[in-house]
Amino acid sequence: MSAAKNINITLKIWRQKDSKAKGNLETYTLNNVSTASSFLEMLDQLNEQLVNERKEPIAFDHDCREGICGMCSLYINGRAHGPDTGITTCQLHMRMFNDGDTIYVEPWRSRAFPVIKDLVVDRSAFDRIQQAGGFVSVNTSGNTIDANAIPIPKDDADKAFEAAACIGCGACVATCKNGSAMLFVGAKVSQYALLPQGKVEATQRVLNMVRQMDEEGFGNCTNTGACEIECPKGISLENIARMNREYLKASLK
Amino acid sequence: MAKSAFLKSSIAKKYWMALTGLFLCLFLTGHLLGNLQLLIPDNALHFNQYALFMTTNPAVKILSYLTYISILFHAIDGILLTIQNKKARPVGYAKTDGSSSSMASRNMAVLGTIILVFIVTHMANFWAVMHFDKKMPLQSVTIENMGQKMELYVTTDTGKFFPKDSIQMMQNGLEIRNRTEFYNKQANLKMGEGYKDLYKITIAFFKDPKMGLIATILYVLAMFALSFHLLHGFQSAFQSLGINNKFTPAIKKFGTAFAIIVPLLFAIIPIYIHFLLK
Ligand code: HEM
Ligand code: SF4
Ligand code: FES
């Protein structure tokens, strides 16, 4: 890997005071950004500069900063989680950019993800979809059954695990031209549908989760496949097909 | 609940899109096989026989109603889905990078609308003429008998012809009723059934000195739209129906071939008629 150097960049960042305000893109210049820093560290550096200038710092979401919590978002240069594949915004590094670059930073755009402030959007629609059926009902009154007590075919376990890798970041919605949440919901439906513990409530789960997804105002999948490409966890379109099968089965019952 | 959701939910709408879309692919295949008979140099007989079959056979009747319903349902459902999808993103991005999806997949509604406009004009030009036009010509052949040229109407009974000349028709006490039926006036007896000459209409349409070239070009452009619609649509329908398994690579290959070959063969016909047919 080449040694880190410092670059100067121009940023066009969405600023919006609150959910009601009409936002706009603001232009900032930021000098001496180390290519070894992460994208979010670069934003920290910009915020420091803004605070020193007695300006309002930019609000953006983040938590773990290691690609596991799904909290960071950001639509960077026209792509969810920016250039590079299989990563979240917190895992994006400034070595992906060149000296003199102009970088667009926008929030996820979806009717179901309203902007709260600047780059922060409200993703509680995902929580409500999960609450509608993304769980298995287990009695936890002190004698919980060990999940591993039931043997599961390796292939099913692997597929369920791959689906469960979804961190609920919303990049699929953000990148989809239809603002569809089907990759997320497909992953959540699949992760349970593949396992014996999940089969018990499979019918109600898929019907309820899809109904909630539709009520939240997400669009309809057109199978463009953009979500699969931008998903930081490589969730496969197979999960949408599985959800469609599960939904057909459930509807015919 | 499940029942009402089966028409209205996002996923159910996609099942209907996929089922009607795939049915229309079957229709395209049948329609193409018929049209290709325009290329057979047999004095129009194969093609006109096919046209008669298509307008009279009861099984075809059922299929054709299914086709009309599919087109309507597919177009309405497609437009409803597209409106919903637009609403799902009220504020757009300042910068987008289209590299993660194909052009065709992002423009299904535009491509579909082009196809819809094509279908409507196509039906006005040929289907409506075939079904309703009172002046639709009947198929005839020219024969030479002892140095004299004669025009004869062809009938569904091989070997049975009627003179085309109206004076001769009168001399023989014949008249045409219901656009295609030859009647003996005095006996009120049906003597035979002619063929509507859709072949002649089609050739005249694409060979028209003023509009023929434009018609050919528009036809070919519509086939490009159809090709792109199917390049994404064919394989997409299987994904919508929940079929994504070890057969998917083969389905994708077949879909690509279908999306290229079918519109290409359709497009060759007007090109041949306009530029090559003597
Ligand atoms: C012979 C004509 C046509 C054929 C063979 C055809 C075929 C297909 C197929 C196979 C699909 C994929 C379905 C899926 O993804 O599940 C599709 C999608 C679509 N079609 Fe057509 N189609 C035709 C005409 C039309 C027309 C006239 C419209 C009018 C607007 C239209 C609009 C659409 C739209 C908007 C989609 C995308 C729907 C979505 O994925 O949400 N199509 N078509
Ligand atoms: S499917 Fe991928 S892109 Fe969508 S929420 Fe889950 S991890 Fe994020
Ligand atoms: S901050 Fe946790 S995934 Fe990026």
Side-chain angles (χ1 to χ4, degrees):
Chain A
M1 205 193 295
S2 59
K5 54 180 188 207
N6 282 354
I7 58 175
N8 302 334
I9 53 175
T10 305
L11 291 148
K12 292 197 179 283
I13 298 181
W14 185 260
R15 301 304 308 262
Q16 183 170 333
K17 208 163 145 276
D18 54 41
S19 57
K20 306 229 163 49
K22 203 174 160 296
N24 64 294
L25 279 176
E26 289 276 349
T27 308
Y28 303 95
T29 30
L30 189 61
N31 295 336
N32 292 319
V33 180
S34 166
T35 53
S37 68
S38 77
F39 196 83
L40 295 186
E41 284 167 340
M42 179 278 291
L43 285 181
D44 293 338
Q45 189 181 337
L46 175 63
N47 273 346
E48 218 170 289
Q49 178 177 310
L50 288 175
V51 169
N52 287 338
E53 293 168 0
R54 307 219 163 273
K55 285 181 189 152
E56 172 94 5
I58 299 154
F60 60 91
D61 262 330
H62 60 98
D63 190 3
C64 70
R65 295 207 180 196
E66 55 181 2
I68 54 169
C69 74
M71 204 51 210
C72 59
S73 52
L74 303 189
Y75 206 72
I76 301 161
N77 271 352
R79 290 183 65 185
H81 295 302
D84 218 347
T85 44
I87 55 150
T88 53
T89 293
C90 60
Q91 294 170 298
L92 177 65
H93 277 76
M94 291 310 293
R95 57 177 171 266
M96 295 298 294
F97 299 93
N98 297 314
D99 193 37
D101 274 2
T102 299
I103 306 169
Y104 283 76
V105 189
E106 299 175 77
W108 286 171
R109 295 293 190 195
S110 159
R111 183 158 69 109
F113 289 165
V115 173
I116 298 171
K117 184 181 168 69
D118 296 340
L119 301 169
V120 179
V121 298
D122 178 359
R123 281 171 282 183
S124 56
F126 269 13
D127 301 340
R128 288 187 291 274
I129 294 174
Q130 280 289 65
Q131 285 154 11
F135 50 80
V136 286
S137 305
V138 180
N139 187 348
T140 52
S141 60
N143 47 2
T144 319
I145 305 154
D146 179 4
N148 292 323
I150 310 170
I152 298 166
K154 171 92 168 88
D155 198 39
D156 289 353
D158 284 351
K159 286 210 165 102
F161 191 81
E162 278 166 27
C166 165
I167 53 176
C169 64
C172 43
V173 175
T175 203
C176 173
K177 85 171 198 16
N178 308 316
S180 167
M182 289 210 191
L183 194 63
F184 167 76
V185 182
K188 297 301 169 197
V189 165
S190 290
Q191 129 190 12
Y192 298 109
L194 284 159
L195 300 177
Q197 293 93 332
K199 291 218 161 75
V200 186
E201 294 159 297
T203 304
Q204 278 314 306
R205 174 181 307 113
V206 70
L207 293 175
N208 289 345
M209 289 181 86
V210 169
R211 183 179 32 77
Q212 189 65 35
M213 169 182 84
D214 289 350
E215 273 171 22
E216 296 291 348
F218 291 104
N220 309 282
C221 175
T222 317
N223 305 328
T224 70
C227 54
E228 182 183 44
I229 289 172
E230 297 297 354
C231 171
K233 299 300 164 189
I235 302 293
S236 157
L237 287 183
E238 277 175 38
N239 293 296
I240 299 183
R242 187 176 295 103
M243 170 174 66
N244 292 358
R245 285 201 296 280
E246 288 286 318
Y247 192 81
L248 188 61
K249 259 197 287 180
S251 307
L252 295 177
K253 265 191 189 156
Chain B
M1 186 231 104
K3 290 289 169 288
S4 74
F6 207 63
L7 261 182
K8 279 189 282 187
S9 87
S10 52
I11 296 182
K13 282 209 195 80
K14 293 289 327 223
Y15 296 149
W16 290 112
M17 264 337 258
L19 288 174
T20 51
L22 287 179
F23 180 76
L24 289 175
C25 288
L26 270 181
F27 150 76
L28 283 181
T29 313
H31 192 13
L32 176 64
L33 292 178
N35 286 12
L36 284 173
Q37 302 181 49
L38 279 161
L39 302 180
I40 304 175
D42 68 342
N43 285 323
L45 203 61
H46 268 102
F47 183 71
N48 284 342
Q49 271 172 357
Y50 151 73
L52 178 66
F53 176 75
M54 292 306 282
T55 40
T56 50
N57 183 288
V60 172
K61 269 249 154 65
I62 296 171
L63 281 180
S64 68
Y65 282 115
L66 263 179
T67 307
Y68 306 144
I69 292 168
S70 289
I71 292 175
L72 272 180
F73 207 99
H74 187 86
I76 293 170
D77 206 22
I79 290 165
L80 286 179
L81 281 166
T82 307
I83 293 172
Q84 268 186 356
N85 293 348
K86 286 265 174 291
K87 280 196 194 146
R89 175 160 302 139
V91 183
Y93 292 108
K95 193 171 168 76
T96 44
D97 168 321
S99 65
S100 50
S101 60
S102 72
M103 271 290 266
S105 74
R106 277 179 273 131
N107 292 294
M108 290 300 274
V110 176
L111 295 167
T113 306
I114 297 173
I115 300 169
L116 189 62
V117 171
F118 171 80
I119 293 175
V120 172
T121 50
H122 186 72
M123 284 180 81
N125 291 334
F126 301 106
W127 178 88
V129 171
M130 184 72 186
H131 278 79
F132 308 119
D133 191 350
K134 293 274 182 304
K135 294 198 286 290
M136 177 91 191
L138 292 181
Q139 187 186 344
S140 58
V141 287
T142 314
I143 56 160
E144 272 209 36
N145 195 2
M146 295 184 295
Q148 269 215 320
K149 278 203 177 152
M150 252 173 86
E151 281 271 303
L152 293 174
Y153 281 127
V154 180
T155 72
T156 51
D157 302 333
T158 1
K160 197 178 205 177
F161 299 92
F162 293 105
K164 193 174 174 187
D165 190 280
S166 57
I167 298 165
Q168 282 181 359
M169 282 277 276
M170 266 202 290
Q171 281 169 355
N172 293 349
L174 285 167
E175 71 173 359
I176 299 172
R177 293 188 193 163
N178 301 326
R179 302 168 68 203
T180 57
E181 295 166 4
F182 296 99
Y183 265 81
N184 183 313
K185 248 173 36 191
Q186 270 163 345
N188 198 22
L189 194 70
K190 187 169 164 186
M191 308 293 289
E193 172 99 20
Y195 285 108
K196 290 182 191 170
D197 203 350
L198 188 61
Y199 181 88
K200 189 175 188 174
I201 300 270
T202 310
I203 304 297
F205 184 80
F206 288 111
K207 276 217 166 299
D208 187 87
K210 267 194 271 172
M211 296 304 289
L213 181 63
I214 295 172
T216 306
I217 291 172
L218 290 179
Y219 192 104
V220 173
L221 287 180
M223 289 308 110
F224 268 102
L226 180 63
S227 179
F228 282 110
H229 197 76
L230 293 177
L231 270 177
H232 175 68
F234 192 94
Q235 53 83 31
S236 167
F238 289 85
Q239 165 80 7
S240 295
L241 293 171
I243 301 164
N244 187 334
N245 52 31
K246 62 178 190 291
F247 298 113
T248 299
I251 291 172
K252 285 190 173 167
K253 276 205 196 95
F254 182 85
T256 306
F258 187 89
I260 294 170
I261 294 169
V262 169
L264 181 71
L265 288 176
F266 268 116
I268 283 175
I269 299 166
I271 293 175
Y272 169 77
I273 294 173
H274 183 81
F275 293 106
L276 299 170
L277 189 69
K278 289 283 178 308

